[in-house]
Amino acid sequence: MSDRSPQVLVFDVNETLSDMSSLRTRLEEVGAPPHLLPVWFAGVLRDGFALTAAGAFAEFSAVARDGLRALLPGIEGWTGDAEAAARHVLDGFAELEVHPDVPDGVRALHQAGFRLVTMTNGRSSLTERLLARAGLLHCFEVLLDVSGPQCWKPAPAAYRYAVERTGVRPDRAVLVAVHPWDIDGAQRAGLGGAWLRRGAAAYPDVMLAPTYTAPDLRGLAEALGRAGRPAGGAEAGPAQQG
C-alpha cells in the first residue's frame, strides 16, 4: 500500500449510516404526507448552513423542530399541535437503523485496519445509539458532532476539528458520505472524499469530484480493502463521544 493511503475514515451519519425512511411513518402518524421528509430535511440543512455562514450556531434538533413547526401548519387541512407533532417526529431519530450495507462494510473496513470515526451535523449521542443497536460501536474510536467546532459541515472548521481529534494530517483522512456537498466540503478542507452513490443518478459537475466512488459501503470496503492494510493503521478501541 502507498504511504499516502488514508489512515482515517470520517463518516457522515444522517443518511450515510442511518436509514431515515422510517421517519416517513412518523410524519404520517402526525397527519403529514410522507413525501414531506426530503423537503423538511433539505430545509434543515439549508437553515443550518445559513446559520454557519452567518457565524452563528444552533443544534440540529432545534433547527429540525423549527422546520417542522413551520411546515406542518401549511399542509392543507392540517389542524394538529405543531409542537407535539414535531416532538413525535424528532423522537424517531433515536430509533433509526443503519442501511443494510453498513454492517458488512464497517466491519470489513475495521478489520482492514482503517481507523473509523464519525462526524455529524446531528448529535453524537444518537450516533452512539445507532451504532450500538447495529453491533458496530466497537469499530469506531470516537464519535464527533458539530457542537465541538460550533459550526455545521461543510464549513472547513468542522472537518479540521474531526481530523485534529484523530491526530492525522487532513490528507490522511477521507470523508465518507452520500451527500455531494459533504464530499466537496471535506475535499476543500484538505481531506479525501468517498461518495456512496446509493442509487443516485449523478454527482454534481459544479463540485469537486470525489476521490473514491462506490455503490455503497460494501463496495467502498472492497475497493479500499484491495489496497491492503493502511500504513500506520491501528485497531480502534471503544468509541468515545466528542
Side-chain angles (χ1 to χ4, degrees), residues 11 103 105-111 114-117 131 135-143 234-239:
F11 285 80
V106 164
R107 291 188 183 107
L109 290 166
H110 173 63
Q111 291 168 4
F114 291 98
R115 297 170 58 194
L116 311 183
V117 304
L131 295 174
L136 300 173
L137 189 58
H138 68 285
C139 295
F140 291 81
E141 66 177 65
V142 66
L143 311 178
E235 295 297 324

Side-chain angles (χ1 to χ4, degrees), residues 86-127:
R87 185 165 55 250
H88 177 73
V89 175
L90 288 174
D91 284 347
F93 276 95
E95 300 178 0
L96 297 181
E97 301 293 341
V98 298
H99 287 284
D101 59 288
V102 168
D104 289 345
V106 164
R107 291 188 183 107
L109 290 166
H110 173 63
Q111 291 168 4
F114 291 98
R115 297 170 58 194
L116 311 183
V117 304
T118 62
M119 180 60 178
T120 178
N121 282 338
R123 288 165 41 200
S124 59
S125 60
L126 292 178
T127 301

Side-chain angles (χ1 to χ4, degrees), residues 14-38:
N14 288 330
E15 295 190 305
T16 297
L17 295 177
S18 65
D19 181 354
M20 293 174 54
S21 62
S22 63
L23 296 180
R24 296 178 186 271
T25 300
R26 290 255 171 179
L27 286 167
E28 290 184 291
E29 289 170 349
V30 300
H35 63 256
L36 189 66
L37 177 60

Side-chain angles (χ1 to χ4, degrees), residues 37-205:
L37 177 60
V39 176
W40 167 52
F41 188 63
V44 174
L45 295 178
R46 176 201 64 209
D47 292 349
F49 297 170
L51 286 168
T52 292
F57 176 77
E59 297 283 354
F60 181 94
S61 58
V63 178
R65 183 187 66 245
D66 283 351
L68 279 172
R69 290 169 60 193
L71 285 172
L72 291 173
I75 298 171
E76 184 176 359
W78 195 84
T79 59
D81 181 333
E83 184 65 39
R87 185 165 55 250
H88 177 73
V89 175
L90 288 174
D91 284 347
F93 276 95
E95 300 178 0
L96 297 181
E97 301 293 341
V98 298
H99 287 284
D101 59 288
V102 168
D104 289 345
V106 164
R107 291 188 183 107
L109 290 166
H110 173 63
Q111 291 168 4
F114 291 98
R115 297 170 58 194
L116 311 183
V117 304
T118 62
M119 180 60 178
T120 178
N121 282 338
R123 288 165 41 200
S124 59
S125 60
L126 292 178
T127 301
E128 182 178 23
R129 294 175 68 169
L130 174 78
L131 295 174
R133 278 194 301 278
L136 300 173
L137 189 58
H138 68 285
C139 295
F140 291 81
E141 66 177 65
V142 66
L143 311 178
L144 304 172
D145 64 42
V146 294
S147 64
Q150 294 283 288
C151 62
W152 287 37
K153 298 179 298 172
Y159 303 105
R160 287 198 295 267
Y161 171 80
V163 171
E164 288 168 0
R165 288 294 302 269
T166 67
V168 301
R169 300 192 310 270
D171 64 353
R172 304 307 297 274
V174 170
L175 188 282
V176 180
V178 295
H179 307 118
W181 57 261
D182 210 356
I183 298 297
D184 180 80
Q187 294 188 159
R188 294 184 191 278
L191 290 73
W195 181 50
L196 307 182
R197 292 198 309 270
R198 290 249 175 82
Y203 189 91
D205 289 338

